[in-house]
Amino acid sequence: MSDDFLNEIKKGLERPIKNKKSIFQNRTEKTHPIQVRDSTYSQLKSISFKQQIKLVDLVDSMLKYALDSNKYKI
């Protein structure tokens, strides 16, 4: 019975995951380098380390938050 359960999990892992927040999602989205001030970079690295998340994910979430605010509406 446990073999059936493990086989089902294995089949599920072979299919691509469409949920962008899943830890199993293939991270194939292209990234670009950006310039930030050294002091800002140090803060970002510190937050990234303390929160145990990748720097690119931290910057992405911060940028999305800022872009969703009323300050940057087009």
Side-chain angles (χ1 to χ4, degrees), residues 6 17 21 29 50 73:
L6 294 175
I17 298 172
K21 294 185 179 184
E29 188 172 359
K50 289 176 184 174
K73 294 289 182 188

Side-chain angles (χ1 to χ4, degrees), residues 26-61:
N26 292 334
R27 304 288 183 185
T28 58
E29 188 172 359
K30 188 176 179 181
T31 61
H32 296 278
I34 61 169
Q35 292 182 341
V36 295
R37 292 182 177 85
D38 281 336
S39 59
T40 304
Y41 182 77
S42 295
Q43 284 181 303
L44 291 172
K45 287 291 282 185
S46 177
I47 294 168
S48 171
F49 177 76
K50 289 176 184 174
Q51 298 289 324
Q52 297 180 349
I53 58 174
K54 293 180 182 178
L55 185 59
V56 67
D57 293 334
L58 174 66
V59 172
D60 186 54
S61 67

